[in-house]
């Protein structure tokens, strides 16, 4: 839409409240500023996407769900003011909002995943770094 790209992970609509909810799911919190920009873009585009489906919304809430890993928690702590400024609601207030979505809410929560067997399980793809050849 308007030359902007991206895929909304989940889009939900509460017809009685005319409330849209954009859910962004992240395995890796690699670029906090990029995440804020991405979710903002989805918020702007969500009403038009909803209209294409026959949903007329009054407001758009955004909920970012991040895999609960030590690395992601460290990155959140390092960028706390940026991320909590953009996503002030936490898990407790988002749970209340899910039961009764009356007002717009923007939140960020962690989602734990089961660790099976021994060691840890990575949720993100393997990242390979290639050393440039010497000149």
């Amino acid at each position: 839409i308007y030359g902007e790209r991206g895929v909304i992970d989940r889009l939900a609509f509460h017809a009685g409240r005319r409330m849209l909810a954009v859910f962004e799911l992240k395995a890796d919190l690699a670029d906090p500023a990029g995440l804020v920009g991405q979710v903002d873009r989805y918020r702007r585009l969500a009403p038009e996407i909803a209209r294409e489906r026959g949903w007329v919304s009054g407001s758009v809430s955004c909920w970012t769900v991040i895999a609960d890993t030590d690395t992601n928690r460290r990155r959140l702590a390092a960028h706390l003011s940026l991320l909590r400024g953009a996503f002030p609601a936490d898990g407790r207030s988002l749970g209340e909002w899910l039961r009764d979505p009356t007002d717009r809410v923007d939140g960020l929560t962690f989602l734990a995943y089961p660790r099976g067997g021994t060691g840890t399980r990575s949720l993100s793809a393997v990242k390979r770094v290639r050393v440039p050849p010497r000149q």
Side-chain angles (χ1 to χ4, degrees):
I1 299 173
Y2 309 120
E4 298 196 63
R5 300 196 180 273
V7 177
I8 294 175
D9 291 328
R10 295 286 183 261
L11 181 64
F13 181 62
H14 189 290
R17 303 277 186 179
R18 294 182 49 229
M19 175 78 64
L20 276 175
V22 172
F23 294 90
E24 179 64 18
L25 311 173
K26 288 291 186 190
D28 185 29
L29 184 57
D31 180 10
L35 172 64
V36 171
Q38 178 181 11
V39 172
D40 179 61
R41 181 174 57 249
Y42 294 162
R43 173 193 310 288
R44 287 185 285 108
L45 299 177
E48 185 165 340
I49 295 167
R51 272 192 299 278
E52 292 172 0
R53 288 157 177 75
W55 302 341
V56 179
S57 64
S59 67
V60 180
S61 293
C62 295
W63 187 346
T64 302
V65 181
I66 301 173
D68 191 1
T69 65
D70 292 341
T71 300
N72 285 340
R73 285 197 177 269
R74 277 193 306 275
R75 288 179 180 154
L76 174 70
H79 301 279
L80 190 62
S81 61
L82 169 73
L83 291 169
R84 283 299 174 204
F87 309 110
D90 61 7
R92 184 170 305 135
S93 56
L94 286 169
E96 294 168 7
W97 175 80
L98 277 175
R99 286 185 288 283
D100 188 20
T102 56
D103 297 319
R104 172 185 151 178
V105 67
D106 298 309
L108 182 144
T109 58
F110 286 100
L111 178 65
Y113 63 92
R115 298 176 194 259
T118 59
T120 61
R121 182 175 68 150
S122 174
L123 293 177
S124 57
V126 173
K127 297 177 184 172
R128 291 188 170 76
V129 177
R130 295 176 190 245
V131 178
R134 292 185 175 233
Q135 296 290 334

